[in-house]
């Protein structure tokens, strides 16, 4: 969905340049130059955009649910690790970029969904995603959010990133996380409490072409991901009036479960050992969260998360 909107916005910008409105394109480029750092400085959210009626229907389509398991004190800042990426990241968008799900369950906390910086280079589209509460996934951006002195800020990071979308097959429980420790270091440097979040049903929205590791398709996808910065999963789902083929996601319920916070004491210069220890604790808490809730959402008892 975001890709389609981005393509439309870029196409509109090209029309301005080629048409009789080129001066508007020039004015926008000037605006873009002076506003370039905003996605790394907290963005520019709009409660009006986040409350559009269309998002209510978007959440009800699947439907998307946000489940609270513990209180999050708004006097602290938090770093929420979202899993898994899936193809669409529908749970992250529906729960953290639209009102009122998160606001109602966690009053006093403002969520910021961090996404790849490349999206903020798309004319006009960048204005929309910032209005929804999305900000850059750069270190500067995460630091800006977690540096709020009064607390009340929550960085939401999809830990597995674009690479994990290549594992987004129905029934898949594989997470790309073992080598991803940058979010742990950021939490330590800012004293932000860590919160594992698991979104049940995220991988059930699309069927992806078989791409096991080592296959020619997976090798090509991984090479393109390294070059472009984002992955290109080959997926399909349903159409508008039929269910056999199309790009509209299947109507599968998504239950995004927010776990209990892991208290983190600020450490401006954490050692590798300290980062590894907190990372191991985070994996333990994430696994525990999954095991405690999997039976509620149709996951067989013998299945567990696989960390790669």
């Amino acid at each position: 969905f975001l890709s389609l909107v981005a393509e439309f916005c870029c196409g509109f910008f090209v029309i301005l340049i080629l048409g009789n409105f080129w001066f508007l394109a020039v004015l926008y480029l000037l605006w873009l130059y002076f506003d370039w750092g905003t996605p790394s400085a907290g963005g520019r959210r709009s409660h009006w955009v986040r409350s559009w009626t269309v998002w209510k229907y978007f959440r009800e389509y699947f439907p998307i649910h946000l489940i609270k398991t513990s209180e999050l004190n708004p006097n602290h800042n938090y770093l929420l690790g979202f899993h898994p990426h899936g193809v669409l990241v529908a749970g992250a968008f529906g729960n953290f970029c639209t009102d009122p799900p998160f606001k109602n369950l966690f009053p006093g906390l403002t969520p910021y969904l961090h996404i790849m910086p490349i999206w903020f280079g798309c004319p006009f589209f960048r204005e929309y995603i910032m209005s929804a509460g999305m900000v850059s996934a750069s270190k500067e951006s995460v630091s800006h959010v977690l540096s709020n002195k009064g607390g009340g800020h929550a960085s939401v990071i999809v830990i597995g990133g674009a690479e994990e979308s290549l594992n987004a097959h129905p029934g898949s429980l594989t997470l790309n996380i073992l080598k991803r420790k940058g979010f742990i270091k950021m939490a330590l440097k800012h004293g932000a409490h860590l919160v594992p979040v698991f979104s049940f049903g995220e991988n059930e929205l699309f069927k992806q072409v078989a791409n096991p590791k080592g296959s020619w398709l997976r090798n090509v996808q991984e090479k393109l991901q390294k070059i472009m910065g984002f992955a290109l999963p080959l997926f399909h789902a349903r159409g508008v009036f039929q269910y056999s083929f199309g790009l509209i996601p299947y109507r599968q319920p998504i239950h995004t479960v927010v776990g209990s916070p892991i208290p983190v004491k600020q450490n401006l210069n954490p050692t590798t050992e300290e980062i590894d220890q907190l990372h191991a604790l985070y994996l333990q808490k994430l696994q525990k969260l999954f095991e405690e809730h999997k039976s509620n959402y149709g996951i067989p008892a013998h299945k567990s998360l696989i960390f790669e």
Side-chain angles (χ1 to χ4, degrees):
F1 174 76
L2 288 180
S3 297
L4 291 175
V5 177
E7 290 174 10
F8 173 81
C9 290
C10 290
F12 180 69
F13 185 71
V14 171
I15 292 174
L16 288 181
I17 294 176
L18 299 179
N20 295 324
F21 302 97
W22 59 267
F23 62 94
L24 293 178
V26 172
L27 288 175
Y28 184 79
L29 286 175
L30 287 173
W31 159 258
L32 194 62
Y33 174 78
F34 289 108
D35 193 58
W36 190 255
T38 301
S40 295
R44 187 168 46 246
R45 72 177 53 224
S46 165
H47 292 292
W48 175 67
V49 172
R50 290 172 59 89
S51 301
W52 282 352
T53 303
V54 67
W55 303 136
K56 175 178 178 289
Y57 293 121
F58 174 81
R59 294 192 302 267
E60 291 177 350
Y61 171 80
F62 298 96
I64 296 174
H65 303 281
L66 185 64
I67 292 89
K68 174 182 179 180
T69 64
S70 178
E71 294 291 339
L72 297 183
N73 189 333
N75 292 325
H76 298 295
N77 291 320
Y78 297 89
L79 195 159
L80 279 61
F82 184 92
H83 313 270
H85 184 288
V87 171
L88 189 63
V89 206
F93 178 81
N95 287 311
F96 304 116
C97 294
T98 70
D99 289 333
F102 189 85
K103 182 170 66 174
N104 285 352
L105 288 180
F106 302 99
L109 277 182
T110 302
Y112 296 81
L113 179 61
H114 296 270
I115 64 174
M116 290 186 298
I118 190 174
W119 290 113
F120 296 98
C122 180
F124 302 118
F125 179 67
R126 69 189 296 274
E127 317 305 333
Y128 159 66
I129 56 179
M130 279 196 287
S131 296
M134 289 180 249
V135 292
S136 172
S138 66
K139 292 180 180 178
E140 296 80 10
S141 178
V142 178
S143 291
H144 185 276
V145 172
L146 298 181
S147 295
N148 190 42
K149 298 296 183 182
H153 282 189
S155 279
V156 183
I157 302 177
V158 184
I159 304 300
E163 183 182 357
E164 194 172 84
S165 67
L166 300 178
N167 291 327
H169 297 272
S172 174
L173 296 172
T174 301
L175 304 180
N176 291 63
I177 192 172
L178 291 181
K179 295 181 180 179
R180 296 178 182 265
K181 301 179 181 180
F183 73 104
I184 298 291
K185 188 174 182 179
M186 293 300 290
L188 282 166
K189 282 191 170 185
H190 295 281
H193 295 351
L194 282 167
V195 182
V197 178
F198 195 86
S199 196
F200 292 89
E202 200 74 45
N203 284 339
E204 317 306 314
L205 307 184
F206 297 93
K207 292 180 180 178
Q208 190 173 167
V209 175
N211 60 342
K213 288 202 169 185
S215 65
W216 70 269
L217 176 58
R218 186 60 168 259
N219 289 336
V220 170
Q221 288 175 320
E222 290 177 346
K223 287 180 181 178
L224 289 175
Q225 190 264 324
K226 290 179 180 178
I227 295 172
M228 299 184 297
F230 56 90
L232 292 173
L234 299 179
F235 60 89
H236 68 88
R238 53 163 291 187
V240 178
F241 301 111
Q242 46 77 30
Y243 293 85
S244 58
F245 189 82
L247 295 179
I248 299 176
Y250 293 115
R251 296 192 70 177
Q252 296 289 339
I254 297 172
H255 295 87
T256 304
V257 184
V258 181
S260 300
I262 303 169
V264 177
K265 185 177 180 181
Q266 187 174 25
N267 184 345
L268 295 177
N269 296 293
T271 64
T272 301
E273 183 180 0
E274 290 169 332
I275 293 172
D276 289 344
Q277 287 177 350
L278 184 55
H279 186 262
L281 177 59
Y282 179 85
L283 294 183
Q284 178 186 331
K285 295 295 185 180
L286 175 60
Q287 186 75 265
K288 183 173 182 286
L289 177 70
F290 174 81
E291 294 295 332
E292 288 178 346
H293 294 273
K294 67 180 183 181
S295 62
N296 298 331
Y297 308 115
I299 308 294
H302 68 278
K303 286 203 167 188
S304 295
L305 295 179
I306 300 171
F307 298 142
E308 288 187 347

PDB file of all heavy atoms in Angstrom, residues 241-261:
ATOM      1  N   PHE A 241     -12.630  -9.150  -6.294  1.00  0.00           N
ATOM      2  CA  PHE A 241     -13.855  -9.953  -6.359  1.00  0.00           C
ATOM      3  C   PHE A 241     -13.594 -11.462  -6.374  1.00  0.00           C
ATOM      4  O   PHE A 241     -14.513 -12.250  -6.535  1.00  0.00           O
ATOM      5  CB  PHE A 241     -14.665  -9.570  -7.605  1.00  0.00           C
ATOM      6  CG  PHE A 241     -15.049  -8.121  -7.623  1.00  0.00           C
ATOM      7  CD1 PHE A 241     -14.487  -7.253  -8.549  1.00  0.00           C
ATOM      8  CD2 PHE A 241     -15.966  -7.612  -6.708  1.00  0.00           C
ATOM      9  CE1 PHE A 241     -14.838  -5.911  -8.570  1.00  0.00           C
ATOM     10  CE2 PHE A 241     -16.314  -6.270  -6.715  1.00  0.00           C
ATOM     11  CZ  PHE A 241     -15.749  -5.415  -7.650  1.00  0.00           C
ATOM     12  N   GLN A 242     -12.360 -11.873  -6.255  1.00  0.00           N
ATOM     13  CA  GLN A 242     -12.037 -13.295  -6.202  1.00  0.00           C
ATOM     14  C   GLN A 242     -10.852 -13.509  -5.259  1.00  0.00           C
ATOM     15  O   GLN A 242     -10.129 -12.575  -4.938  1.00  0.00           O
ATOM     16  CB  GLN A 242     -11.727 -13.845  -7.605  1.00  0.00           C
ATOM     17  CG  GLN A 242     -10.794 -12.983  -8.441  1.00  0.00           C
ATOM     18  CD  GLN A 242      -9.325 -13.087  -8.072  1.00  0.00           C
ATOM     19  OE1 GLN A 242      -8.870 -14.132  -7.612  1.00  0.00           O
ATOM     20  NE2 GLN A 242      -8.568 -12.024  -8.277  1.00  0.00           N
ATOM     21  N   TYR A 243     -10.712 -14.747  -4.790  1.00  0.00           N
ATOM     22  CA  TYR A 243      -9.743 -15.037  -3.741  1.00  0.00           C
ATOM     23  C   TYR A 243      -8.534 -15.835  -4.224  1.00  0.00           C
ATOM     24  O   TYR A 243      -7.703 -16.241  -3.417  1.00  0.00           O
ATOM     25  CB  TYR A 243     -10.430 -15.799  -2.601  1.00  0.00           C
ATOM     26  CG  TYR A 243     -11.458 -14.979  -1.859  1.00  0.00           C
ATOM     27  CD1 TYR A 243     -12.760 -14.870  -2.317  1.00  0.00           C
ATOM     28  CD2 TYR A 243     -11.120 -14.284  -0.695  1.00  0.00           C
ATOM     29  CE1 TYR A 243     -13.702 -14.098  -1.658  1.00  0.00           C
ATOM     30  CE2 TYR A 243     -12.050 -13.516  -0.016  1.00  0.00           C
ATOM     31  CZ  TYR A 243     -13.342 -13.430  -0.507  1.00  0.00           C
ATOM     32  OH  TYR A 243     -14.277 -12.670   0.148  1.00  0.00           O
ATOM     33  N   SER A 244      -8.454 -16.092  -5.525  1.00  0.00           N
ATOM     34  CA  SER A 244      -7.385 -16.963  -6.013  1.00  0.00           C
ATOM     35  C   SER A 244      -6.080 -16.224  -6.285  1.00  0.00           C
ATOM     36  O   SER A 244      -4.999 -16.781  -6.102  1.00  0.00           O
ATOM     37  CB  SER A 244      -7.846 -17.686  -7.288  1.00  0.00           C
ATOM     38  OG  SER A 244      -8.221 -16.738  -8.281  1.00  0.00           O
ATOM     39  N   PHE A 245      -6.155 -14.955  -6.728  1.00  0.00           N
ATOM     40  CA  PHE A 245      -4.913 -14.254  -7.049  1.00  0.00           C
ATOM     41  C   PHE A 245      -5.143 -12.742  -7.040  1.00  0.00           C
ATOM     42  O   PHE A 245      -6.185 -12.256  -7.462  1.00  0.00           O
ATOM     43  CB  PHE A 245      -4.376 -14.679  -8.415  1.00  0.00           C
ATOM     44  CG  PHE A 245      -2.986 -14.162  -8.700  1.00  0.00           C
ATOM     45  CD1 PHE A 245      -1.875 -14.827  -8.193  1.00  0.00           C
ATOM     46  CD2 PHE A 245      -2.795 -13.010  -9.434  1.00  0.00           C
ATOM     47  CE1 PHE A 245      -0.589 -14.354  -8.437  1.00  0.00           C
ATOM     48  CE2 PHE A 245      -1.519 -12.529  -9.680  1.00  0.00           C
ATOM     49  CZ  PHE A 245      -0.413 -13.212  -9.178  1.00  0.00           C
ATOM     50  N   GLY A 246      -4.142 -12.021  -6.542  1.00  0.00           N
ATOM     51  CA  GLY A 246      -4.195 -10.565  -6.503  1.00  0.00           C
ATOM     52  C   GLY A 246      -3.180 -10.041  -5.506  1.00  0.00           C
ATOM     53  O   GLY A 246      -2.389 -10.799  -4.930  1.00  0.00           O
ATOM     54  N   LEU A 247      -3.192  -8.739  -5.287  1.00  0.00           N
ATOM     55  CA  LEU A 247      -2.233  -8.119  -4.371  1.00  0.00           C
ATOM     56  C   LEU A 247      -2.897  -7.576  -3.107  1.00  0.00           C
ATOM     57  O   LEU A 247      -2.238  -6.958  -2.278  1.00  0.00           O
ATOM     58  CB  LEU A 247      -1.478  -6.990  -5.084  1.00  0.00           C
ATOM     59  CG  LEU A 247      -0.577  -7.426  -6.237  1.00  0.00           C
ATOM     60  CD1 LEU A 247       0.085  -6.211  -6.877  1.00  0.00           C
ATOM     61  CD2 LEU A 247       0.478  -8.424  -5.764  1.00  0.00           C
ATOM     62  N   ILE A 248      -4.199  -7.790  -2.972  1.00  0.00           N
ATOM     63  CA  ILE A 248      -4.883  -7.378  -1.750  1.00  0.00           C
ATOM     64  C   ILE A 248      -4.628  -8.427  -0.673  1.00  0.00           C
ATOM     65  O   ILE A 248      -4.802  -9.628  -0.927  1.00  0.00           O
ATOM     66  CB  ILE A 248      -6.396  -7.227  -1.992  1.00  0.00           C
ATOM     67  CG1 ILE A 248      -6.651  -6.152  -3.041  1.00  0.00           C
ATOM     68  CG2 ILE A 248      -7.127  -6.897  -0.695  1.00  0.00           C
ATOM     69  CD1 ILE A 248      -8.109  -5.998  -3.430  1.00  0.00           C
ATOM     70  N   PRO A 249      -4.183  -8.046   0.509  1.00  0.00           N
ATOM     71  CA  PRO A 249      -3.879  -9.045   1.549  1.00  0.00           C
ATOM     72  C   PRO A 249      -5.115  -9.836   1.959  1.00  0.00           C
ATOM     73  O   PRO A 249      -6.240  -9.351   1.892  1.00  0.00           O
ATOM     74  CB  PRO A 249      -3.355  -8.192   2.710  1.00  0.00           C
ATOM     75  CG  PRO A 249      -3.884  -6.820   2.457  1.00  0.00           C
ATOM     76  CD  PRO A 249      -3.939  -6.665   0.972  1.00  0.00           C
ATOM     77  N   TYR A 250      -4.882 -11.066   2.355  1.00  0.00           N
ATOM     78  CA  TYR A 250      -5.966 -11.901   2.855  1.00  0.00           C
ATOM     79  C   TYR A 250      -6.531 -11.304   4.138  1.00  0.00           C
ATOM     80  O   TYR A 250      -5.826 -10.628   4.888  1.00  0.00           O
ATOM     81  CB  TYR A 250      -5.466 -13.320   3.144  1.00  0.00           C
ATOM     82  CG  TYR A 250      -5.048 -14.090   1.919  1.00  0.00           C
ATOM     83  CD1 TYR A 250      -3.720 -14.477   1.738  1.00  0.00           C
ATOM     84  CD2 TYR A 250      -5.977 -14.448   0.939  1.00  0.00           C
ATOM     85  CE1 TYR A 250      -3.331 -15.190   0.618  1.00  0.00           C
ATOM     86  CE2 TYR A 250      -5.587 -15.165  -0.183  1.00  0.00           C
ATOM     87  CZ  TYR A 250      -4.269 -15.531  -0.345  1.00  0.00           C
ATOM     88  OH  TYR A 250      -3.881 -16.232  -1.452  1.00  0.00           O
ATOM     89  N   ARG A 251      -7.799 -11.590   4.393  1.00  0.00           N
ATOM     90  CA  ARG A 251      -8.420 -11.129   5.645  1.00  0.00           C
ATOM     91  C   ARG A 251      -8.083 -12.134   6.733  1.00  0.00           C
ATOM     92  O   ARG A 251      -8.824 -13.086   6.987  1.00  0.00           O
ATOM     93  CB  ARG A 251      -9.925 -10.984   5.473  1.00  0.00           C
ATOM     94  CG  ARG A 251     -10.331  -9.926   4.472  1.00  0.00           C
ATOM     95  CD  ARG A 251     -11.815  -9.622   4.551  1.00  0.00           C
ATOM     96  NE  ARG A 251     -12.134  -8.910   5.795  1.00  0.00           N
ATOM     97  CZ  ARG A 251     -13.352  -8.467   6.084  1.00  0.00           C
ATOM     98  NH1 ARG A 251     -14.353  -8.676   5.240  1.00  0.00           N
ATOM     99  NH2 ARG A 251     -13.572  -7.821   7.216  1.00  0.00           N
ATOM    100  N   GLN A 252      -6.957 -11.920   7.361  1.00  0.00           N
ATOM    101  CA  GLN A 252      -6.493 -12.758   8.451  1.00  0.00           C
ATOM    102  C   GLN A 252      -6.302 -11.885   9.684  1.00  0.00           C
ATOM    103  O   GLN A 252      -5.683 -10.818   9.591  1.00  0.00           O
ATOM    104  CB  GLN A 252      -5.170 -13.446   8.094  1.00  0.00           C
ATOM    105  CG  GLN A 252      -5.238 -14.421   6.937  1.00  0.00           C
ATOM    106  CD  GLN A 252      -6.000 -15.689   7.284  1.00  0.00           C
ATOM    107  OE1 GLN A 252      -6.147 -16.022   8.463  1.00  0.00           O
ATOM    108  NE2 GLN A 252      -6.502 -16.388   6.284  1.00  0.00           N
ATOM    109  N   PRO A 253      -6.834 -12.283  10.827  1.00  0.00           N
ATOM    110  CA  PRO A 253      -6.698 -11.439  12.023  1.00  0.00           C
ATOM    111  C   PRO A 253      -5.250 -11.260  12.460  1.00  0.00           C
ATOM    112  O   PRO A 253      -4.443 -12.192  12.372  1.00  0.00           O
ATOM    113  CB  PRO A 253      -7.513 -12.188  13.082  1.00  0.00           C
ATOM    114  CG  PRO A 253      -7.581 -13.597  12.591  1.00  0.00           C
ATOM    115  CD  PRO A 253      -7.580 -13.515  11.096  1.00  0.00           C
ATOM    116  N   ILE A 254      -4.944 -10.058  12.903  1.00  0.00           N
ATOM    117  CA  ILE A 254      -3.608  -9.734  13.419  1.00  0.00           C
ATOM    118  C   ILE A 254      -3.760  -9.324  14.872  1.00  0.00           C
ATOM    119  O   ILE A 254      -4.552  -8.435  15.195  1.00  0.00           O
ATOM    120  CB  ILE A 254      -2.977  -8.582  12.612  1.00  0.00           C
ATOM    121  CG1 ILE A 254      -2.784  -8.997  11.151  1.00  0.00           C
ATOM    122  CG2 ILE A 254      -1.641  -8.155  13.226  1.00  0.00           C
ATOM    123  CD1 ILE A 254      -2.351  -7.844  10.258  1.00  0.00           C
ATOM    124  N   HIS A 255      -3.034  -9.981  15.733  1.00  0.00           N
ATOM    125  CA  HIS A 255      -3.051  -9.645  17.161  1.00  0.00           C
ATOM    126  C   HIS A 255      -1.635  -9.230  17.562  1.00  0.00           C
ATOM    127  O   HIS A 255      -0.731 -10.065  17.662  1.00  0.00           O
ATOM    128  CB  HIS A 255      -3.508 -10.837  17.999  1.00  0.00           C
ATOM    129  CG  HIS A 255      -4.932 -11.234  17.743  1.00  0.00           C
ATOM    130  ND1 HIS A 255      -5.282 -12.106  16.733  1.00  0.00           N
ATOM    131  CD2 HIS A 255      -6.092 -10.857  18.353  1.00  0.00           C
ATOM    132  CE1 HIS A 255      -6.604 -12.268  16.739  1.00  0.00           C
ATOM    133  NE2 HIS A 255      -7.116 -11.522  17.703  1.00  0.00           N
ATOM    134  N   THR A 256      -1.453  -7.940  17.774  1.00  0.00           N
ATOM    135  CA  THR A 256      -0.149  -7.396  18.150  1.00  0.00           C
ATOM    136  C   THR A 256      -0.071  -7.311  19.670  1.00  0.00           C
ATOM    137  O   THR A 256      -0.768  -6.496  20.284  1.00  0.00           O
ATOM    138  CB  THR A 256       0.057  -6.009  17.516  1.00  0.00           C
ATOM    139  OG1 THR A 256      -0.092  -6.110  16.096  1.00  0.00           O
ATOM    140  CG2 THR A 256       1.440  -5.466  17.841  1.00  0.00           C
ATOM    141  N   VAL A 257       0.773  -8.163  20.250  1.00  0.00           N
ATOM    142  CA  VAL A 257       0.862  -8.278  21.708  1.00  0.00           C
ATOM    143  C   VAL A 257       2.073  -7.492  22.207  1.00  0.00           C
ATOM    144  O   VAL A 257       3.211  -7.769  21.818  1.00  0.00           O
ATOM    145  CB  VAL A 257       0.974  -9.754  22.147  1.00  0.00           C
ATOM    146  CG1 VAL A 257       0.976  -9.857  23.672  1.00  0.00           C
ATOM    147  CG2 VAL A 257      -0.176 -10.568  21.558  1.00  0.00           C
ATOM    148  N   VAL A 258       1.813  -6.515  23.059  1.00  0.00           N
ATOM    149  CA  VAL A 258       2.878  -5.692  23.638  1.00  0.00           C
ATOM    150  C   VAL A 258       3.276  -6.292  24.979  1.00  0.00           C
ATOM    151  O   VAL A 258       2.459  -6.401  25.892  1.00  0.00           O
ATOM    152  CB  VAL A 258       2.404  -4.238  23.837  1.00  0.00           C
ATOM    153  CG1 VAL A 258       3.533  -3.380  24.426  1.00  0.00           C
ATOM    154  CG2 VAL A 258       1.931  -3.649  22.513  1.00  0.00           C
ATOM    155  N   GLY A 259       4.546  -6.706  25.099  1.00  0.00           N
ATOM    156  CA  GLY A 259       5.019  -7.381  26.295  1.00  0.00           C
ATOM    157  C   GLY A 259       5.335  -6.442  27.452  1.00  0.00           C
ATOM    158  O   GLY A 259       5.107  -5.231  27.388  1.00  0.00           O
ATOM    159  N   SER A 260       5.896  -7.017  28.480  1.00  0.00           N
ATOM    160  CA  SER A 260       6.282  -6.248  29.673  1.00  0.00           C
ATOM    161  C   SER A 260       7.629  -5.573  29.436  1.00  0.00           C
ATOM    162  O   SER A 260       8.498  -6.127  28.755  1.00  0.00           O
ATOM    163  CB  SER A 260       6.373  -7.165  30.894  1.00  0.00           C
ATOM    164  OG  SER A 260       5.130  -7.786  31.140  1.00  0.00           O
ATOM    165  N   PRO A 261       7.826  -4.383  29.997  1.00  0.00           N
ATOM    166  CA  PRO A 261       9.089  -3.671  29.788  1.00  0.00           C
ATOM    167  C   PRO A 261      10.258  -4.314  30.525  1.00  0.00           C
ATOM    168  O   PRO A 261      10.102  -4.853  31.619  1.00  0.00           O
ATOM    169  CB  PRO A 261       8.794  -2.275  30.345  1.00  0.00           C
ATOM    170  CG  PRO A 261       7.718  -2.489  31.364  1.00  0.00           C
ATOM    171  CD  PRO A 261       6.883  -3.608  30.826  1.00  0.00           C
TER     172      PRO A 261
END
